[in-house]
Amino acid sequence: MSSVKFIEQELAWLQQVILTRIQLYFNQDCPFTDIMQIPPPPLADQTGYYSELLEQYHFEYCGRLLLILALAPHLRPEALDIFFTKNTHFDRPYSEFGGLQIEGHRGFWPTIETAAFIWSGGDLTKRLQLQQFIQANPSLPNSGMQFNSVLSDQGGFHASGALKLPSTGEYENIFVTPLTISDHFFRKISGSIPYQPCYSHNFPAEPMTTGLVWDDLVLSPEVMDQVEEIRAWIIHRNTLLNEWQLKRKIQPGFRSLFYGPPGTGKTLTAALLGKVTGLPAYRVDLAMIVSKFIGETEKNLSKVFAQAEKQDWILFFDEADALFSKRTETHSSNDRHANQEVAYLLQRIEYFPGIVLLATNLKSNIDEAFLRRFQSIVHFSMPDAEQRYILWKGAFSDPERLAANVDFTTIAGEYELAGGAIINVLRYASLMALRQGSQQVGLQDIRQGIQKEFRKLGRIT
């Protein structure tokens, strides 16, 4: 059965459960004595993301009820219109139905109060149990409610990222919390393009793209072997953790530090790892993420890590020493604040189940507490003459655009430049040729570009 037809069955089941609850609550004629007598659609032989999620995270009766209730405003808002029924004694909606009016949405928006009504039907014991389960009170016995497995910190909604649950203290009354589906989950079940947050001060990370391919990566054999290790982890991690059952012994994430001079391929490697493995790679903008206000840096980082965990992104921190630098002795409140940020990062990175790549020019600037937790530390050194020749040939790949006097073997041997600088020379020399009305780049254009790069680096040719 297709995913759409299965979700239609879930919605029909929800409507029948809601109708039965209302009939039972108001002592109307009803063929059932309990909503549990209405079984949800069977999961056997189902296909699609929605049914796979239900099976993977063990959503049982209550979990499925909450999930489809949260989806109803998006997929079948008329299924909830029955909750607009007014209490004729007071000429107002029934308080026990819960619900909110959301701007731009004319239908009924369910809250946890709505879910509590459907589940408990006014049973005070079940209501109080539900409240304590949501607030993660570990002393309360399960009592067969099944809410424990789906609403706890380790439960299905938290792990799957399907439902946005409130943080502790966000609402004085937990029951007024709206049931809200995450953008990522809704796009997955609807087959839409994966959710990509807009790059802004509220979300300081942007996707990394490149027009190059894996074979364009020019690194020494030792460095390439370390990069291939990261690639292999991304490809085989699920096999290692699940089929080989190593998740009891090793953590699910992978952390690597890239260090070396500018232009040696650190950023390109991160982008290509995402491209060849199919994982979105996001560059975290540290200039936007660091705040002078206490707690704001941690808050900004939390948004990025939460989204990356749900959508399985590669996180790339360029110039990472700006945020992951060594902790200092505490002499002021600013020092304490900075040390708190480093400690927070240390914790988030250590328990992040995805891929985190840090790049810096100087390894010595990174706090040693981070270094101990990296699975690999990769030194991107300056390319040797042979590697520089490959980089020059790759940059000027169209032989028709090169004058006859250009000899990359000689150029590669004479000038020590990284790949990023060679690309800058390509841009400069090509522009100079066009300014002179030529369709070919000459040796003089390239040498002038090299001299320009050397002056930027404070070196003399």
Side-chain angles (χ1 to χ4, degrees), residues 283-299:
R283 185 185 69 86
V284 181
D285 190 335
L286 296 181
M288 293 180 67
I289 213 163
V290 176
S291 173
K292 64 180 179 181
F293 299 106
I294 295 176
E296 282 298 308
T297 299
E298 292 89 335
K299 182 179 177 181

Side-chain angles (χ1 to χ4, degrees), residues 124-177:
L124 185 58
T125 300
K126 284 189 174 182
R127 179 183 176 87
L128 292 175
Q129 287 174 340
L130 171 60
Q131 181 178 8
Q132 289 179 308
F133 275 126
I134 293 172
Q135 293 174 337
N137 186 333
S139 65
L140 188 71
N142 190 350
S143 304
M145 288 228 13
Q146 300 176 325
F147 270 108
N148 188 29
S149 64
V150 295
L151 290 177
S152 69
D153 287 343
Q154 303 303 320
F157 283 132
H158 174 81
S160 67
L163 192 64
K164 294 180 181 178
L165 291 174
S167 58
T168 303
E170 187 174 346
Y171 293 90
E172 292 185 10
N173 182 352
I174 193 69
F175 289 94
V176 304
T177 307

Side-chain angles (χ1 to χ4, degrees), residues 139-442:
S139 65
L140 188 71
N142 190 350
S143 304
M145 288 228 13
Q146 300 176 325
F147 270 108
N148 188 29
S149 64
V150 295
L151 290 177
S152 69
D153 287 343
Q154 303 303 320
F157 283 132
H158 174 81
S160 67
L163 192 64
K164 294 180 181 178
L165 291 174
S167 58
T168 303
E170 187 174 346
Y171 293 90
E172 292 185 10
N173 182 352
I174 193 69
F175 289 94
V176 304
T177 307
L179 288 175
T180 308
I181 291 294
S182 70
D183 296 308
H184 164 65
F185 173 70
F186 186 72
R187 287 173 180 266
K188 288 282 282 187
I189 66 165
S190 63
S192 302
I193 297 172
Y195 173 61
Q196 290 188 349
C198 295
Y199 172 65
S200 65
H201 281 284
N202 292 325
F203 193 84
E206 58 183 343
M208 302 174 69
T209 59
T210 176
L212 301 180
V213 297
W214 191 254
D215 290 341
D216 293 320
L217 201 55
V218 180
L219 303 170
S220 68
E222 296 81 8
V223 172
M224 196 66 191
D225 186 62
Q226 289 180 286
V227 172
E228 287 285 4
E229 179 192 355
I230 303 172
R231 182 184 181 185
W233 168 264
I234 296 173
I235 295 171
H236 301 294
R237 55 190 169 149
N238 289 330
T239 301
L240 287 175
L241 294 173
N242 299 316
E243 293 183 23
W244 289 31
Q245 298 184 353
L246 295 183
K247 60 184 177 183
R248 296 176 297 171
K249 301 177 181 179
I250 60 177
Q251 292 181 335
F254 196 101
R255 294 160 289 281
S256 183
L257 174 69
F258 296 172
Y259 76 98
T264 49
K266 300 183 292 294
T267 302
L268 175 61
T269 299
L272 285 173
L273 278 170
K275 186 173 183 177
V276 299
T277 61
L279 296 187
Y282 272 71
R283 185 185 69 86
V284 181
D285 190 335
L286 296 181
M288 293 180 67
I289 213 163
V290 176
S291 173
K292 64 180 179 181
F293 299 106
I294 295 176
E296 282 298 308
T297 299
E298 292 89 335
K299 182 179 177 181
N300 292 338
L301 279 167
S302 179
K303 294 178 183 177
V304 174
F305 274 107
Q307 198 64 244
E309 183 173 349
K310 291 175 185 176
Q311 304 202 51
D312 199 15
W313 291 346
I314 296 173
L315 286 183
F316 179 68
F317 293 84
D318 200 5
E319 299 180 1
D321 41 331
L323 194 57
F324 298 82
S325 58
K326 293 182 177 180
R327 282 170 280 193
T328 60
E329 294 184 12
T330 303
H331 297 295
S332 66
S333 60
N334 289 336
D335 294 335
R336 287 193 296 273
H337 180 206
N339 288 343
Q340 287 172 0
E341 289 179 352
V342 175
Y344 173 81
L345 278 168
L346 187 63
Q347 182 185 37
R348 285 309 303 256
I349 284 182
E350 183 170 9
Y351 293 103
F352 179 64
I355 316 300
V356 177
L357 306 176
L358 276 64
T360 181
N361 294 339
L362 296 173
K363 171 187 169 186
S364 58
N365 288 344
I366 302 296
D367 191 290
E368 291 183 2
F370 285 108
L371 296 179
R372 291 195 299 269
R373 288 164 171 81
F374 289 134
Q375 274 69 46
S376 70
I377 298 177
V378 186
H379 180 211
F380 286 73
S381 58
M382 290 292 290
D384 59 23
E386 182 180 351
Q387 293 165 8
R388 293 196 295 270
Y389 173 78
I390 298 173
L391 289 168
W392 280 111
K393 291 286 288 184
F396 293 84
S397 56
D398 187 353
E400 295 182 0
R401 296 295 180 196
L402 282 175
N405 62 345
V406 176
D407 179 9
F408 284 132
T409 302
T410 302
I411 292 173
E414 289 182 0
Y415 303 108
E416 187 182 31
L417 285 173
I422 290 173
I423 294 300
N424 289 339
V425 173
L426 166 67
R427 180 186 297 109
Y428 175 84
S430 299
L431 283 173
M432 291 305 101
L434 289 173
R435 283 181 60 187
Q436 297 162 14
S438 174
Q439 295 297 308
Q440 288 188 324
V441 175

Side-chain angles (χ1 to χ4, degrees), residues 41-109:
L43 285 174
D45 300 324
Q46 300 296 337
T47 59
Y49 177 76
Y50 190 84
S51 57
E52 290 173 2
L53 179 135
L54 295 180
E55 287 191 304
Q56 179 181 355
Y57 294 102
H58 308 292
F59 284 85
E60 299 183 9
Y61 198 98
C62 290
R64 289 174 68 169
L65 191 63
L66 279 166
L67 193 58
I68 197 64
L69 179 62
L71 273 169
H74 302 274
L75 302 178
R76 188 166 293 169
E78 66 272 18
L80 305 179
D81 284 350
I82 194 169
F83 288 120
F84 282 126
T85 303
K86 281 191 175 183
N87 186 329
T88 56
H89 293 292
F90 302 103
D91 192 30
R92 51 164 292 175
Y94 283 91
S95 301
E96 53 267 50
F97 291 172
L100 293 173
Q101 287 291 306
I102 303 294
E103 184 177 356
H105 180 77
R106 296 178 63 86
F108 180 93
W109 199 283

